[in-house]
Amino acid sequence: MMSCEGMLKSRATVLLQIGGLIGCLFQTNWLNADEAPARIGMSAAREPRVPILSSEESWKRLPPRVEPAGELASRPSLPIWARAYAGASPRTTAVMLEQDYVFRTSEAFDPKLRAKMRWVAARANRCEYSQAYAVADLRRLGVSDAEIARLRESFAELPERERAALAFARQMTRDASQVTDEEFARLIEQFDEPTVVAMVLQMAFANFQDRLLLALNVPVEPDGPLPPLQVRFEPLKPGEKIEPAPRPTTQPTEIKREVPQAVPDTDWKAQAFEQLQSQLQSQRERQPRVVVPAWGDVHSRLPAGMYPADPPVRIKWSLVVLGYQPSLGTAWLQGLRTFAREAKQDRVLEESMFWVITRSLQCFY
């Protein structure tokens, strides 16, 4: 029988796994953030759903840091989400801390616009934690409280390019499947392809974070919102093994739900095999909204050792994010890699969850 502590550690791991899958798809399908229903299970008192370690204990669980020359091994306060996951998934938590810094300090496009887009996504997701952090980042960038207040009222008085970017952030969060080719093309005209790819990655990471935060139900830290933490950890060595967090051998006794043997999906079953094949072929023939870079151009911009030059990467999504935004793209993919090695998810469960989520979100990819 697993101890209570072990059970809660496993629960943190499960929340990270589910949040990771959902966050990769970055949208919610809500029609309007102001009219959205209250978050299911969200406690007004913000009682976290997993144990929260102290910063000191969390630093002990995390892998060794790569310290800049001459810097003392200080241990600053960690955000509460990192303290929630450090016990269950220390390696993934370390990469998420590095990601958080990269995405919150990126200059791939105007940092003020980036932070405003982060606030728009957090508001659409009704994630109070992220809204508070986005406001703090805006203030650090010199945005006045009056300008922040205007964001809550309307985008109408903003410059056209900024309105377009914030509307895009909101639509990507509410229902990304409804962004049209024409809307995307207009955004590229107002900015450029590398900038818009950076915007997409920023929204992907924002929604990934918000789902984890909402699942954890965590409050802002007493000394928060905290500034971005510039920290690097020693990377995993090739072939290095990670011991997974313990899994419970039994379900918690308080959970007594009837599990259905099957979930009907009449829309899916109504389609003949030939129809599915036809739709799949139409997706193969889709024209991308940005030019997909060649592997040779992409590989020359990557950190040493991330990918061998041969065989070439053929996944178009990887070519786009790494080719246009190697810093953001590398941070995102390193997170996926580390999570996969540490979580060691059951592949059938993983792919089944991925299918349910992509089907629900109308994500053809």
Side-chain angles (χ1 to χ4, degrees):
M1 178 70 67
M2 176 170 286
S3 68
C4 178
E5 181 183 5
M7 186 75 74
L8 291 173
K9 284 182 181 179
S10 178
R11 187 177 299 174
T13 304
V14 170
L15 286 175
L16 183 58
Q17 292 170 350
I18 294 174
L21 281 171
I22 296 175
C24 288
L25 298 167
F26 56 83
Q27 58 118 336
T28 62
N29 283 323
W30 282 347
L31 297 179
N32 188 294
D34 296 324
E35 298 170 0
R39 276 291 187 181
I40 296 174
M42 177 65 78
S43 167
R46 290 293 187 274
E47 290 295 331
R49 296 188 173 115
V50 298
I52 305 297
L53 301 177
S54 66
S55 282
E56 182 179 0
E57 182 60 31
S58 297
W59 280 115
K60 292 178 182 178
R61 307 283 183 100
L62 294 173
R65 286 187 291 172
V66 178
E67 301 291 352
E71 182 178 329
L72 296 176
S74 61
R75 292 184 170 182
S77 295
L78 290 170
I80 193 168
W81 54 263
R83 290 157 46 204
Y85 287 127
S89 303
R91 279 288 181 179
T92 303
T93 304
V95 174
M96 288 167 63
L97 285 166
E98 294 174 341
Q99 286 176 327
D100 185 68
Y101 180 82
V102 170
F103 278 86
R104 288 177 65 191
T105 62
S106 171
E107 295 187 354
F109 61 99
D110 176 38
K112 293 181 181 179
L113 179 57
R114 164 179 50 75
K116 289 178 180 179
M117 292 178 72
R118 182 66 184 97
W119 181 86
V120 168
R123 185 165 187 253
N125 284 328
R126 291 182 170 248
C127 184
E128 296 176 9
Y129 183 102
S130 293
Q131 288 183 67
Y133 265 73
V135 167
D137 286 348
L138 284 167
R139 287 172 177 155
R140 269 189 289 272
L141 291 167
V143 178
S144 68
D145 286 343
E147 189 174 351
I148 294 170
R150 284 196 295 272
L151 276 179
R152 296 187 174 93
E153 298 169 2
S154 171
F155 301 160
E157 297 182 4
L158 298 175
E160 181 181 355
R161 293 171 80 247
E162 191 168 329
R163 289 202 311 271
L166 297 183
F168 178 70
R170 186 165 54 190
Q171 185 60 44
M172 285 292 288
T173 303
R174 290 175 174 176
D175 189 350
S177 70
Q178 295 303 306
V179 174
T180 67
D181 292 345
E182 293 74 22
E183 289 170 336
F184 202 88
R186 285 197 296 271
L187 199 63
I188 289 176
E189 288 177 2
Q190 291 169 310
F191 294 92
D192 53 40
E193 288 185 331
T195 297
V196 177
V197 171
M199 290 177 176
V200 171
L201 283 167
Q202 286 287 349
M203 290 302 94
F205 189 71
N207 282 276
F208 161 73
Q209 275 195 324
D210 286 353
R211 277 148 185 78
L212 294 178
L213 293 163
L214 291 166
L216 290 171
N217 200 45
V218 291
V220 174
E221 304 81 7
D223 55 344
L226 302 174
L229 179 60
Q230 186 174 12
V231 61
R232 288 195 306 118
F233 296 89
E234 291 184 3
L236 280 168
K237 300 178 178 63
E240 181 179 349
K241 294 183 179 179
I242 306 175
E243 291 299 324
R247 301 293 195 268
T249 55
T250 60
Q251 291 292 328
T253 55
E254 67 270 17
I255 298 179
K256 294 181 179 179
R257 298 193 183 115
E258 183 177 344
V259 179
Q261 294 299 313
V263 178
D265 190 340
T266 55
D267 291 340
W268 176 250
K269 292 180 178 179
Q271 300 186 70
F273 180 76
E274 292 74 17
Q275 289 177 287
L276 297 176
Q277 290 300 309
S278 175
Q279 292 173 15
L280 181 59
Q281 183 59 32
S282 69
Q283 296 299 343
R284 293 192 184 103
E285 295 171 356
R286 277 183 63 91
Q287 293 302 308
R289 290 168 174 168
V290 296
V291 176
V292 179
W295 170 238
D297 297 332
V298 173
H299 188 263
S300 64
R301 304 183 67 189
L302 298 181
M306 183 171 183
Y307 282 103
D310 189 60
V313 170
R314 297 173 56 220
I315 300 172
K316 292 182 178 179
W317 181 86
S318 298
L319 292 172
V320 168
V321 301
L322 292 173
Y324 284 103
Q325 293 297 336
S327 177
L328 295 176
T330 298
W332 181 261
L333 289 175
Q334 292 287 31
L336 295 178
R337 285 182 172 188
T338 304
F339 169 71
R341 290 179 64 179
E342 184 168 45
K344 295 181 173 66
Q345 296 182 114
D346 178 87
R347 290 303 302 273
V348 175
L349 174 61
E350 180 184 67
E351 296 302 330
S352 298
M353 290 175 61
F354 192 72
W355 159 253
V356 170
I357 295 166
T358 53
R359 171 108 170 90
S360 301
L361 301 183
Q362 300 297 313
C363 181
F364 63 84
Y365 190 91

